[in-house]
Amino acid sequence: MRSLAEFMSRDGISLMVRQALAEDVGPGDITTEACISPEAVDLALIRAKGEGVIAGLDFAREVFFQLDQQVAFEPHIRDGGHVSPGDVVCRASGRSRALL
């Protein structure tokens, strides 16, 4: 199966993510900023909730990149891969604020 990156340019993905973050997060998340230290770091695992086929990992990677270029993003399943409940789709590590 082909990945979304084969249908969209990197610039197109970047633009869509930038627009989505501007709409969703705007200038920042006040709760995260009030409760989470800027220096805090964490590890996040994104798990499948149900049976499915993965799509959009290039978008997920770009979200983390735009929030914090130092976040390490590691897909565990490729776009087009099948998942079952509980499967780890990807892992991200870095500043907690970006992960949240």
Side-chain angles (χ1 to χ4, degrees):
M1 178 170 256
R2 295 166 51 182
S3 74
L4 285 173
E6 294 179 68
F7 297 98
M8 284 189 91
S9 69
R10 279 271 166 230
D11 289 342
I13 292 171
S14 179
L15 175 62
M16 286 184 73
V17 168
R18 189 169 40 259
Q19 290 171 334
L21 287 172
E23 178 183 326
D24 187 49
V25 180
D29 179 48
I30 193 166
T31 304
T32 297
E33 291 173 12
C35 298
I36 306 298
S37 166
E39 294 83 28
V41 295
D42 275 299
L43 166 69
L45 299 177
I46 298 177
R47 295 181 181 271
K49 284 183 150 183
E51 297 287 332
V53 176
I54 296 303
L57 288 172
D58 292 322
F59 286 88
R61 180 188 317 273
E62 183 65 21
V63 167
F64 288 118
F65 180 79
Q66 287 190 26
L67 293 172
D68 183 345
Q69 294 180 8
Q70 300 304 309
V71 169
F73 180 85
E74 302 170 32
H76 286 228
I77 297 175
R78 295 165 42 119
D79 274 353
H82 294 268
V83 292
S84 298
D87 286 352
V88 175
V89 175
C90 61
R91 142 191 183 135
S93 58
R95 290 188 187 106
S96 303
R97 287 182 172 188
L99 300 180
L100 292 171

